[in-house]
Amino acid sequence: MGETLQQLGIQWPKLIAQVVNFAIVLFILWKFAYQPVLNMLAQRREKIAEGMANADKIKAELAATEANRRSILDKANVDATKFIEEARVAAAKVLEQETQKAIATANDIITKARQANEAELARMKTELRREVGRLVVSTTSKVTGKVLTADDQNRLAEETSRQLASN
Amino acid sequence: MSLKKTILTAAVLLGFAAFLNAAEPGHEAAVDGAAPHAGHVGPPVSPEAPTLFHIGPLPVTNSIVYTWIIGAVILFVIRAGTKKMKETPSGVQNVVEAAVEGLEELTKGLLEPKVAHWVFPLAATFFLFIVVSNLMGLLPGVGSIGWGHASGAPFGIEHADTPLFRPPTADANMTVAMAAIFFVMSTIWALKYNGPVGLLKHIFGVKGGMTGWIVIPLSLIFIFIGCIEVISIMIRPVALAMRLYGNIYGGESVLTLMLTNSPLGLAALPFYFLELLVAVVQALVFTLLSIAFIGTLCSHTEEEHAGAKHAH
């Protein structure tokens, strides 16, 4: 055993020196390779997991937003239809009211026109009677050659008016 | 720019080797384990790593020197890859990340998550250090630049009896050191995972979910099996160390033989391809066996699982 160790050159000082050398290499690798690389890999794994979780979250949010958008659109469609119907009803009602108002106004105008016509007619009749009375007095005075007094003229004119009115 | 640096480094190394060769007579006394220079006898590569110099009482072998260089290369590469880490990796960062992640996945695939967390740094370092060491051991100059019997060529030597560099995995001190670290750490983790009593039960306990009187004779058998298991546990680090050392030292020897005993060393070429494969395979074997051995000590058997579920 001792001879074999001697042949292989295994001696405590050399063995301990190599143990120390290997320990130094182990420390170097641990400090400058394993720790930073494992930390970086852990960070990267964390980021990937976070990214995937975010992607899932975004996907879910997108689906929720899409559903929300659809529901809003459906509601808007329903509301729009309702508003259009209401507007149509309101418009019909307004049309009816305005028509009635126009008819009333037209009737009013016609009534007023008729009244004005009647008044005008009456005024014209009155004037006609006066004119006819005046003509009767004038004709009578010319036919009879007699100068009529003021009383005669009044009486003839009134008589003529009365007769015309009775006709 | 990097090509210029490489050429400059190679020139410095060659100059240093030449200086060492020139200073050979004075150096002879400082080198132990080197073969005599007047005609090389013995194995093509010395089984032990020769001592180059001493720092106080500590002998510094050529494999220790090369371990420092390998450590520096590893430090340089990983600093280049992880100094300014980006969210989107590129270049050296990609290589370092792929290596670390791959080794982490390998460890997690073979061990329970808790145990994998403990074991990963050591297992990954085993793989990275061994693979870099084995591959750097194949670089030109490693094992061939050094001190030896002078040849006719200027600064040339016939055989590097004391090479300047030697891959640490071709030095039994390093493979035994790694195996010792494995043994100590696997024992600590086994005790941490099972507890002292749990570990004894794990090794010597009656398995198979037996109950009743049959347990008494079976326990004797399982104590015997446990003793064999203890021997197996003790042999594991030896097997790990000697397998790696034998493969890499054998490869070095074959390459040296082929380089020195064929025209222009061309016979070594196929063996270089083979050694490239061996470099990676041996690193993987050492790492996987370390993980598997730890896994046998730090895992619950079926009945222990069932017992734990009942207890809950």
Side-chain angles (χ1 to χ4, degrees):
Chain A
M1 178 74 176
E3 196 184 332
T4 311
L5 292 178
Q6 201 180 352
Q7 273 188 347
L8 295 174
I10 298 173
Q11 294 165 8
W12 279 113
K14 294 176 184 174
L15 185 65
I16 290 166
Q18 292 293 42
V19 168
V20 171
N21 284 336
F22 184 80
I24 291 167
V25 173
L26 176 60
F27 173 76
I28 288 170
L29 281 168
W30 172 247
K31 179 82 181 164
F32 298 116
Y34 305 148
Q35 271 188 341
V37 170
L38 291 179
N39 284 343
M40 175 59 77
L41 290 175
Q43 272 179 23
R44 210 172 284 155
R45 271 188 213 117
E46 206 174 294
K47 276 194 177 175
I48 289 168
E50 201 178 307
M52 286 179 81
N54 278 344
D56 286 345
K57 199 176 157 189
I58 288 165
K59 210 173 169 184
E61 276 178 6
L62 197 66
T65 308
E66 179 63 24
N68 200 20
R69 188 183 70 87
R70 275 184 191 285
S71 91
I72 288 169
L73 271 179
D74 290 347
K75 192 170 176 285
N77 276 337
V78 170
D79 286 352
T81 312
K82 192 178 151 192
F83 289 148
I84 290 167
E85 193 56 38
E86 280 176 4
R88 196 171 286 154
V89 170
K93 198 173 167 185
V94 169
L95 183 66
E96 180 64 28
Q97 281 175 352
E98 289 303 314
T99 307
Q100 290 303 323
K101 209 182 272 178
I103 289 167
T105 309
N107 285 340
D108 196 30
I109 289 166
I110 289 166
T111 308
K112 280 180 180 170
R114 195 172 286 154
Q115 284 172 352
N117 279 344
E118 281 173 1
E120 185 66 16
L121 186 64
R123 189 183 60 78
M124 284 175 77
K125 277 182 178 176
T126 308
E127 272 188 18
L128 185 64
R129 274 188 216 111
R130 275 185 198 152
E131 190 62 24
V132 169
R134 196 179 55 82
L135 283 172
V136 167
V137 171
S138 171
T139 308
T140 306
S141 62
K142 278 178 185 172
V143 170
T144 58
K146 183 184 168 184
V147 179
L148 294 176
T149 63
D151 290 338
D152 290 336
Q153 284 179 7
N154 286 336
R155 191 176 44 80
L156 273 173
E158 282 171 6
E159 184 64 25
T160 306
S161 294
R162 197 172 52 245
Q163 281 182 3
L164 281 171
S166 66
N167 289 333
Chain B
M1 187 64 188
S2 60
L3 183 67
K4 277 184 186 172
K5 276 185 182 171
T6 311
I7 292 167
L8 193 66
T9 312
V12 168
L13 284 175
L14 286 171
F16 185 52
F19 166 75
L20 291 173
N21 282 336
E24 192 183 343
H27 172 76
E28 202 169 354
V31 174
D32 56 47
H37 292 162
H40 176 72
V41 287
V45 178
S46 165
E48 83 171 286
T51 304
L52 296 181
F53 55 90
H54 285 77
I55 299 175
L58 181 72
V60 179
T61 62
N62 50 8
S63 79
I64 291 178
V65 170
Y66 209 43
T67 306
W68 294 340
I69 294 171
I70 289 165
V73 168
I74 290 173
L75 177 64
F76 175 75
V77 172
I78 60 169
R79 285 305 284 157
T82 60
K83 199 171 184 179
K84 288 174 185 170
M85 292 192 84
K86 290 173 195 159
E87 199 64 48
T88 315
S90 60
V92 187
Q93 187 188 335
N94 237 340
V95 177
V96 176
E97 274 192 19
V100 174
E101 196 177 10
L103 288 164
E104 195 201 17
E105 291 297 319
L106 179 79
T107 317
K108 277 184 177 171
L110 293 169
L111 296 170
E112 288 178 24
K114 181 175 71 173
V115 184
H117 183 69
W118 300 336
V119 174
F120 161 70
L122 183 65
T125 307
F126 278 151
F127 181 81
L128 293 173
F129 179 73
I130 293 170
V131 82
V132 172
S133 168
N134 290 351
L135 291 173
M136 281 181 70
L138 297 175
L139 290 176
V142 178
S144 57
I145 295 176
W147 298 269
H149 185 64
S151 69
F155 308 118
I157 49 171
E158 281 179 1
H159 180 265
D161 298 325
T162 308
L164 181 59
F165 302 126
R166 179 183 176 117
T169 41
D171 175 11
N173 284 297
M174 177 49 99
T175 59
V176 169
M178 287 193 292
I181 290 170
F182 154 77
F183 181 73
V184 170
M185 293 314 296
S186 64
T187 308
I188 291 170
W189 287 326
L191 285 168
K192 195 175 170 184
Y193 184 83
N194 300 291
V197 179
L199 184 60
L200 287 174
K201 271 188 191 170
H202 185 81
I203 296 171
F204 296 101
V206 177
K207 290 152 190 92
M210 300 287 182
T211 49
W213 63 271
I214 194 78
V215 173
I216 298 164
L218 274 178
S219 61
L220 293 171
I221 296 169
F222 274 101
I223 285 170
F224 176 69
I225 292 169
C227 290
I228 296 171
E229 178 70 11
V230 169
I231 294 168
S232 152
I233 291 168
M234 304 303 282
I235 285 173
R236 283 169 187 174
V238 181
L240 280 176
M242 289 304 119
R243 183 186 299 106
L244 181 60
Y245 169 71
N247 273 285
I248 305 306
Y249 170 70
E252 282 278 303
S253 301
V254 169
L255 289 176
T256 307
L257 270 177
M258 292 298 160
L259 280 168
T260 50
N261 292 304
S262 64
L264 297 171
L266 283 175
L269 198 60
F271 290 96
Y272 265 105
F273 286 108
L274 181 70
E275 283 306 308
L276 277 175
L277 193 67
V278 170
V280 180
V281 168
Q282 284 306 315
L284 201 60
V285 166
F286 193 101
T287 311
L288 282 175
L289 284 178
S290 302
I291 294 171
F293 290 153
I294 293 165
T296 59
L297 290 173
C298 300
S299 62
H300 289 297
T301 54
E302 290 293 320
E303 56 266 30
E304 280 170 332
H305 264 303
K309 273 182 187 172
H310 279 299
H312 288 159

PDB file of all heavy atoms in Angstrom, chain B residues 76-105:
ATOM      1  N   PHE B  76     -10.766  33.302 -16.048  1.00  0.00           N
ATOM      2  CA  PHE B  76     -10.805  34.253 -17.161  1.00  0.00           C
ATOM      3  C   PHE B  76     -12.059  34.044 -18.015  1.00  0.00           C
ATOM      4  O   PHE B  76     -12.774  35.002 -18.346  1.00  0.00           O
ATOM      5  CB  PHE B  76      -9.536  34.094 -18.018  1.00  0.00           C
ATOM      6  CG  PHE B  76      -9.531  34.941 -19.255  1.00  0.00           C
ATOM      7  CD1 PHE B  76      -9.307  36.306 -19.180  1.00  0.00           C
ATOM      8  CD2 PHE B  76      -9.773  34.373 -20.503  1.00  0.00           C
ATOM      9  CE1 PHE B  76      -9.319  37.086 -20.316  1.00  0.00           C
ATOM     10  CE2 PHE B  76      -9.791  35.149 -21.649  1.00  0.00           C
ATOM     11  CZ  PHE B  76      -9.568  36.510 -21.555  1.00  0.00           C
ATOM     12  N   VAL B  77     -12.328  32.781 -18.336  1.00  0.00           N
ATOM     13  CA  VAL B  77     -13.480  32.481 -19.216  1.00  0.00           C
ATOM     14  C   VAL B  77     -14.795  32.828 -18.525  1.00  0.00           C
ATOM     15  O   VAL B  77     -15.663  33.481 -19.127  1.00  0.00           O
ATOM     16  CB  VAL B  77     -13.463  30.998 -19.664  1.00  0.00           C
ATOM     17  CG1 VAL B  77     -14.750  30.632 -20.401  1.00  0.00           C
ATOM     18  CG2 VAL B  77     -12.259  30.727 -20.559  1.00  0.00           C
ATOM     19  N   ILE B  78     -14.929  32.429 -17.258  1.00  0.00           N
ATOM     20  CA  ILE B  78     -16.222  32.697 -16.615  1.00  0.00           C
ATOM     21  C   ILE B  78     -16.420  34.172 -16.305  1.00  0.00           C
ATOM     22  O   ILE B  78     -17.543  34.674 -16.347  1.00  0.00           O
ATOM     23  CB  ILE B  78     -16.474  31.823 -15.353  1.00  0.00           C
ATOM     24  CG1 ILE B  78     -15.405  32.074 -14.305  1.00  0.00           C
ATOM     25  CG2 ILE B  78     -16.593  30.364 -15.695  1.00  0.00           C
ATOM     26  CD1 ILE B  78     -15.754  31.464 -12.967  1.00  0.00           C
ATOM     27  N   ARG B  79     -15.295  34.883 -16.043  1.00  0.00           N
ATOM     28  CA  ARG B  79     -15.440  36.333 -15.846  1.00  0.00           C
ATOM     29  C   ARG B  79     -15.857  37.004 -17.153  1.00  0.00           C
ATOM     30  O   ARG B  79     -16.648  37.947 -17.165  1.00  0.00           O
ATOM     31  CB  ARG B  79     -14.136  36.957 -15.341  1.00  0.00           C
ATOM     32  CG  ARG B  79     -13.832  36.672 -13.895  1.00  0.00           C
ATOM     33  CD  ARG B  79     -14.919  37.063 -12.942  1.00  0.00           C
ATOM     34  NE  ARG B  79     -15.018  38.482 -12.673  1.00  0.00           N
ATOM     35  CZ  ARG B  79     -16.113  39.092 -12.243  1.00  0.00           C
ATOM     36  NH1 ARG B  79     -17.213  38.402 -12.056  1.00  0.00           N
ATOM     37  NH2 ARG B  79     -16.122  40.373 -12.009  1.00  0.00           N
ATOM     38  N   ALA B  80     -15.288  36.509 -18.263  1.00  0.00           N
ATOM     39  CA  ALA B  80     -15.668  37.055 -19.574  1.00  0.00           C
ATOM     40  C   ALA B  80     -17.149  36.795 -19.856  1.00  0.00           C
ATOM     41  O   ALA B  80     -17.826  37.597 -20.496  1.00  0.00           O
ATOM     42  CB  ALA B  80     -14.804  36.429 -20.668  1.00  0.00           C
ATOM     43  N   GLY B  81     -17.646  35.678 -19.343  1.00  0.00           N
ATOM     44  CA  GLY B  81     -19.038  35.306 -19.613  1.00  0.00           C
ATOM     45  C   GLY B  81     -20.041  35.897 -18.660  1.00  0.00           C
ATOM     46  O   GLY B  81     -21.213  36.079 -19.011  1.00  0.00           O
ATOM     47  N   THR B  82     -19.606  36.201 -17.422  1.00  0.00           N
ATOM     48  CA  THR B  82     -20.605  36.597 -16.412  1.00  0.00           C
ATOM     49  C   THR B  82     -20.373  37.983 -15.815  1.00  0.00           C
ATOM     50  O   THR B  82     -21.110  38.395 -14.927  1.00  0.00           O
ATOM     51  CB  THR B  82     -20.630  35.573 -15.245  1.00  0.00           C
ATOM     52  OG1 THR B  82     -19.331  35.538 -14.644  1.00  0.00           O
ATOM     53  CG2 THR B  82     -20.999  34.193 -15.712  1.00  0.00           C
ATOM     54  N   LYS B  83     -19.349  38.692 -16.305  1.00  0.00           N
ATOM     55  CA  LYS B  83     -19.077  40.010 -15.717  1.00  0.00           C
ATOM     56  C   LYS B  83     -20.206  40.994 -16.018  1.00  0.00           C
ATOM     57  O   LYS B  83     -20.693  41.690 -15.130  1.00  0.00           O
ATOM     58  CB  LYS B  83     -17.753  40.551 -16.247  1.00  0.00           C
ATOM     59  CG  LYS B  83     -17.185  41.663 -15.381  1.00  0.00           C
ATOM     60  CD  LYS B  83     -15.780  42.024 -15.786  1.00  0.00           C
ATOM     61  CE  LYS B  83     -15.192  43.070 -14.861  1.00  0.00           C
ATOM     62  NZ  LYS B  83     -13.820  43.413 -15.247  1.00  0.00           N
ATOM     63  N   LYS B  84     -20.577  41.029 -17.302  1.00  0.00           N
ATOM     64  CA  LYS B  84     -21.679  41.918 -17.689  1.00  0.00           C
ATOM     65  C   LYS B  84     -22.770  41.062 -18.303  1.00  0.00           C
ATOM     66  O   LYS B  84     -22.877  40.953 -19.526  1.00  0.00           O
ATOM     67  CB  LYS B  84     -21.185  42.964 -18.689  1.00  0.00           C
ATOM     68  CG  LYS B  84     -20.293  44.020 -18.061  1.00  0.00           C
ATOM     69  CD  LYS B  84     -19.715  44.947 -19.098  1.00  0.00           C
ATOM     70  CE  LYS B  84     -18.725  45.909 -18.467  1.00  0.00           C
ATOM     71  NZ  LYS B  84     -17.988  46.657 -19.483  1.00  0.00           N
ATOM     72  N   MET B  85     -23.548  40.456 -17.436  1.00  0.00           N
ATOM     73  CA  MET B  85     -24.574  39.530 -17.931  1.00  0.00           C
ATOM     74  C   MET B  85     -25.745  40.310 -18.517  1.00  0.00           C
ATOM     75  O   MET B  85     -26.159  41.319 -17.971  1.00  0.00           O
ATOM     76  CB  MET B  85     -25.049  38.620 -16.815  1.00  0.00           C
ATOM     77  CG  MET B  85     -23.994  37.652 -16.364  1.00  0.00           C
ATOM     78  SD  MET B  85     -24.640  36.375 -15.314  1.00  0.00           S
ATOM     79  CE  MET B  85     -25.234  35.222 -16.516  1.00  0.00           C
ATOM     80  N   LYS B  86     -26.210  39.801 -19.655  1.00  0.00           N
ATOM     81  CA  LYS B  86     -27.346  40.453 -20.315  1.00  0.00           C
ATOM     82  C   LYS B  86     -28.556  39.532 -20.251  1.00  0.00           C
ATOM     83  O   LYS B  86     -28.418  38.313 -20.120  1.00  0.00           O
ATOM     84  CB  LYS B  86     -27.007  40.728 -21.786  1.00  0.00           C
ATOM     85  CG  LYS B  86     -25.963  41.807 -21.965  1.00  0.00           C
ATOM     86  CD  LYS B  86     -25.579  41.886 -23.436  1.00  0.00           C
ATOM     87  CE  LYS B  86     -24.299  42.678 -23.598  1.00  0.00           C
ATOM     88  NZ  LYS B  86     -23.634  42.366 -24.860  1.00  0.00           N
ATOM     89  N   GLU B  87     -29.717  40.169 -20.369  1.00  0.00           N
ATOM     90  CA  GLU B  87     -30.965  39.397 -20.353  1.00  0.00           C
ATOM     91  C   GLU B  87     -31.010  38.424 -21.532  1.00  0.00           C
ATOM     92  O   GLU B  87     -31.444  37.285 -21.399  1.00  0.00           O
ATOM     93  CB  GLU B  87     -32.144  40.375 -20.423  1.00  0.00           C
ATOM     94  CG  GLU B  87     -33.471  39.810 -19.979  1.00  0.00           C
ATOM     95  CD  GLU B  87     -33.506  39.420 -18.515  1.00  0.00           C
ATOM     96  OE1 GLU B  87     -33.081  40.219 -17.653  1.00  0.00           O
ATOM     97  OE2 GLU B  87     -33.954  38.304 -18.250  1.00  0.00           O
ATOM     98  N   THR B  88     -30.545  38.895 -22.681  1.00  0.00           N
ATOM     99  CA  THR B  88     -30.432  38.019 -23.859  1.00  0.00           C
ATOM    100  C   THR B  88     -28.969  37.620 -23.993  1.00  0.00           C
ATOM    101  O   THR B  88     -28.136  38.440 -24.344  1.00  0.00           O
ATOM    102  CB  THR B  88     -30.873  38.779 -25.131  1.00  0.00           C
ATOM    103  OG1 THR B  88     -32.073  39.467 -24.838  1.00  0.00           O
ATOM    104  CG2 THR B  88     -31.074  37.841 -26.292  1.00  0.00           C
ATOM    105  N   PRO B  89     -28.657  36.350 -23.690  1.00  0.00           N
ATOM    106  CA  PRO B  89     -27.245  35.961 -23.671  1.00  0.00           C
ATOM    107  C   PRO B  89     -26.645  35.859 -25.069  1.00  0.00           C
ATOM    108  O   PRO B  89     -27.348  35.597 -26.040  1.00  0.00           O
ATOM    109  CB  PRO B  89     -27.281  34.583 -23.005  1.00  0.00           C
ATOM    110  CG  PRO B  89     -28.637  34.067 -23.252  1.00  0.00           C
ATOM    111  CD  PRO B  89     -29.552  35.243 -23.354  1.00  0.00           C
ATOM    112  N   SER B  90     -25.324  36.098 -25.120  1.00  0.00           N
ATOM    113  CA  SER B  90     -24.620  35.940 -26.391  1.00  0.00           C
ATOM    114  C   SER B  90     -23.158  35.623 -26.084  1.00  0.00           C
ATOM    115  O   SER B  90     -22.676  35.875 -24.987  1.00  0.00           O
ATOM    116  CB  SER B  90     -24.723  37.220 -27.218  1.00  0.00           C
ATOM    117  OG  SER B  90     -24.141  38.280 -26.512  1.00  0.00           O
ATOM    118  N   GLY B  91     -22.470  35.048 -27.052  1.00  0.00           N
ATOM    119  CA  GLY B  91     -21.042  34.775 -26.935  1.00  0.00           C
ATOM    120  C   GLY B  91     -20.681  33.870 -25.771  1.00  0.00           C
ATOM    121  O   GLY B  91     -21.307  32.812 -25.580  1.00  0.00           O
ATOM    122  N   VAL B  92     -19.693  34.310 -24.985  1.00  0.00           N
ATOM    123  CA  VAL B  92     -19.177  33.479 -23.878  1.00  0.00           C
ATOM    124  C   VAL B  92     -20.262  33.272 -22.817  1.00  0.00           C
ATOM    125  O   VAL B  92     -20.340  32.206 -22.197  1.00  0.00           O
ATOM    126  CB  VAL B  92     -17.922  34.138 -23.246  1.00  0.00           C
ATOM    127  CG1 VAL B  92     -17.285  33.215 -22.228  1.00  0.00           C
ATOM    128  CG2 VAL B  92     -16.891  34.468 -24.314  1.00  0.00           C
ATOM    129  N   GLN B  93     -21.106  34.300 -22.618  1.00  0.00           N
ATOM    130  CA  GLN B  93     -22.197  34.148 -21.634  1.00  0.00           C
ATOM    131  C   GLN B  93     -23.091  32.960 -21.986  1.00  0.00           C
ATOM    132  O   GLN B  93     -23.514  32.203 -21.116  1.00  0.00           O
ATOM    133  CB  GLN B  93     -23.038  35.434 -21.577  1.00  0.00           C
ATOM    134  CG  GLN B  93     -24.072  35.401 -20.450  1.00  0.00           C
ATOM    135  CD  GLN B  93     -25.032  36.574 -20.491  1.00  0.00           C
ATOM    136  OE1 GLN B  93     -24.710  37.619 -21.026  1.00  0.00           O
ATOM    137  NE2 GLN B  93     -26.198  36.391 -19.931  1.00  0.00           N
ATOM    138  N   ASN B  94     -23.331  32.806 -23.286  1.00  0.00           N
ATOM    139  CA  ASN B  94     -24.143  31.680 -23.760  1.00  0.00           C
ATOM    140  C   ASN B  94     -23.507  30.360 -23.372  1.00  0.00           C
ATOM    141  O   ASN B  94     -24.194  29.444 -22.891  1.00  0.00           O
ATOM    142  CB  ASN B  94     -24.221  31.745 -25.297  1.00  0.00           C
ATOM    143  CG  ASN B  94     -25.640  31.814 -25.759  1.00  0.00           C
ATOM    144  OD1 ASN B  94     -26.548  31.448 -25.028  1.00  0.00           O
ATOM    145  ND2 ASN B  94     -25.842  32.282 -26.965  1.00  0.00           N
ATOM    146  N   VAL B  95     -22.180  30.261 -23.582  1.00  0.00           N
ATOM    147  CA  VAL B  95     -21.452  29.017 -23.296  1.00  0.00           C
ATOM    148  C   VAL B  95     -21.505  28.716 -21.797  1.00  0.00           C
ATOM    149  O   VAL B  95     -21.837  27.593 -21.385  1.00  0.00           O
ATOM    150  CB  VAL B  95     -19.980  29.135 -23.765  1.00  0.00           C
ATOM    151  CG1 VAL B  95     -19.195  27.900 -23.405  1.00  0.00           C
ATOM    152  CG2 VAL B  95     -19.908  29.389 -25.262  1.00  0.00           C
ATOM    153  N   VAL B  96     -21.222  29.742 -20.983  1.00  0.00           N
ATOM    154  CA  VAL B  96     -21.203  29.543 -19.529  1.00  0.00           C
ATOM    155  C   VAL B  96     -22.604  29.172 -19.029  1.00  0.00           C
ATOM    156  O   VAL B  96     -22.771  28.231 -18.249  1.00  0.00           O
ATOM    157  CB  VAL B  96     -20.677  30.818 -18.812  1.00  0.00           C
ATOM    158  CG1 VAL B  96     -20.754  30.663 -17.305  1.00  0.00           C
ATOM    159  CG2 VAL B  96     -19.246  31.100 -19.219  1.00  0.00           C
ATOM    160  N   GLU B  97     -23.607  29.888 -19.533  1.00  0.00           N
ATOM    161  CA  GLU B  97     -24.994  29.597 -19.116  1.00  0.00           C
ATOM    162  C   GLU B  97     -25.399  28.181 -19.511  1.00  0.00           C
ATOM    163  O   GLU B  97     -26.014  27.461 -18.730  1.00  0.00           O
ATOM    164  CB  GLU B  97     -25.960  30.599 -19.752  1.00  0.00           C
ATOM    165  CG  GLU B  97     -26.093  31.860 -18.943  1.00  0.00           C
ATOM    166  CD  GLU B  97     -27.252  32.727 -19.407  1.00  0.00           C
ATOM    167  OE1 GLU B  97     -28.147  32.219 -20.090  1.00  0.00           O
ATOM    168  OE2 GLU B  97     -27.239  33.915 -19.089  1.00  0.00           O
ATOM    169  N   ALA B  98     -25.054  27.799 -20.746  1.00  0.00           N
ATOM    170  CA  ALA B  98     -25.422  26.464 -21.224  1.00  0.00           C
ATOM    171  C   ALA B  98     -24.758  25.395 -20.364  1.00  0.00           C
ATOM    172  O   ALA B  98     -25.403  24.402 -19.983  1.00  0.00           O
ATOM    173  CB  ALA B  98     -25.008  26.303 -22.682  1.00  0.00           C
ATOM    174  N   ALA B  99     -23.476  25.606 -20.025  1.00  0.00           N
ATOM    175  CA  ALA B  99     -22.754  24.626 -19.216  1.00  0.00           C
ATOM    176  C   ALA B  99     -23.376  24.516 -17.821  1.00  0.00           C
ATOM    177  O   ALA B  99     -23.674  23.408 -17.344  1.00  0.00           O
ATOM    178  CB  ALA B  99     -21.280  25.025 -19.102  1.00  0.00           C
ATOM    179  N   VAL B 100     -23.610  25.659 -17.194  1.00  0.00           N
ATOM    180  CA  VAL B 100     -24.147  25.646 -15.826  1.00  0.00           C
ATOM    181  C   VAL B 100     -25.568  25.064 -15.812  1.00  0.00           C
ATOM    182  O   VAL B 100     -25.894  24.205 -14.985  1.00  0.00           O
ATOM    183  CB  VAL B 100     -24.131  27.077 -15.217  1.00  0.00           C
ATOM    184  CG1 VAL B 100     -24.820  27.094 -13.868  1.00  0.00           C
ATOM    185  CG2 VAL B 100     -22.697  27.569 -15.064  1.00  0.00           C
ATOM    186  N   GLU B 101     -26.380  25.509 -16.754  1.00  0.00           N
ATOM    187  CA  GLU B 101     -27.772  25.021 -16.798  1.00  0.00           C
ATOM    188  C   GLU B 101     -27.813  23.526 -17.098  1.00  0.00           C
ATOM    189  O   GLU B 101     -28.586  22.786 -16.479  1.00  0.00           O
ATOM    190  CB  GLU B 101     -28.562  25.804 -17.849  1.00  0.00           C
ATOM    191  CG  GLU B 101     -30.062  25.626 -17.683  1.00  0.00           C
ATOM    192  CD  GLU B 101     -30.864  26.454 -18.658  1.00  0.00           C
ATOM    193  OE1 GLU B 101     -30.260  27.030 -19.584  1.00  0.00           O
ATOM    194  OE2 GLU B 101     -32.093  26.515 -18.496  1.00  0.00           O
ATOM    195  N   GLY B 102     -26.965  23.098 -18.036  1.00  0.00           N
ATOM    196  CA  GLY B 102     -26.927  21.677 -18.389  1.00  0.00           C
ATOM    197  C   GLY B 102     -26.529  20.819 -17.206  1.00  0.00           C
ATOM    198  O   GLY B 102     -27.166  19.785 -16.932  1.00  0.00           O
ATOM    199  N   LEU B 103     -25.507  21.263 -16.462  1.00  0.00           N
ATOM    200  CA  LEU B 103     -25.053  20.492 -15.301  1.00  0.00           C
ATOM    201  C   LEU B 103     -26.092  20.525 -14.181  1.00  0.00           C
ATOM    202  O   LEU B 103     -26.276  19.535 -13.463  1.00  0.00           O
ATOM    203  CB  LEU B 103     -23.713  21.040 -14.808  1.00  0.00           C
ATOM    204  CG  LEU B 103     -22.535  20.717 -15.741  1.00  0.00           C
ATOM    205  CD1 LEU B 103     -21.335  21.592 -15.430  1.00  0.00           C
ATOM    206  CD2 LEU B 103     -22.153  19.257 -15.634  1.00  0.00           C
ATOM    207  N   GLU B 104     -26.778  21.653 -14.053  1.00  0.00           N
ATOM    208  CA  GLU B 104     -27.835  21.735 -13.034  1.00  0.00           C
ATOM    209  C   GLU B 104     -28.972  20.767 -13.366  1.00  0.00           C
ATOM    210  O   GLU B 104     -29.486  20.063 -12.497  1.00  0.00           O
ATOM    211  CB  GLU B 104     -28.363  23.172 -12.942  1.00  0.00           C
ATOM    212  CG  GLU B 104     -29.185  23.404 -11.686  1.00  0.00           C
ATOM    213  CD  GLU B 104     -30.121  24.585 -11.796  1.00  0.00           C
ATOM    214  OE1 GLU B 104     -30.387  25.045 -12.924  1.00  0.00           O
ATOM    215  OE2 GLU B 104     -30.597  25.037 -10.751  1.00  0.00           O
ATOM    216  N   GLU B 105     -29.344  20.747 -14.649  1.00  0.00           N
ATOM    217  CA  GLU B 105     -30.412  19.834 -15.083  1.00  0.00           C
ATOM    218  C   GLU B 105     -29.988  18.386 -14.853  1.00  0.00           C
ATOM    219  O   GLU B 105     -30.799  17.551 -14.436  1.00  0.00           O
ATOM    220  CB  GLU B 105     -30.726  20.052 -16.565  1.00  0.00           C
ATOM    221  CG  GLU B 105     -31.394  21.381 -16.873  1.00  0.00           C
ATOM    222  CD  GLU B 105     -32.752  21.526 -16.228  1.00  0.00           C
ATOM    223  OE1 GLU B 105     -33.510  20.538 -16.221  1.00  0.00           O
ATOM    224  OE2 GLU B 105     -33.047  22.610 -15.690  1.00  0.00           O
TER     225      GLU B 105
END
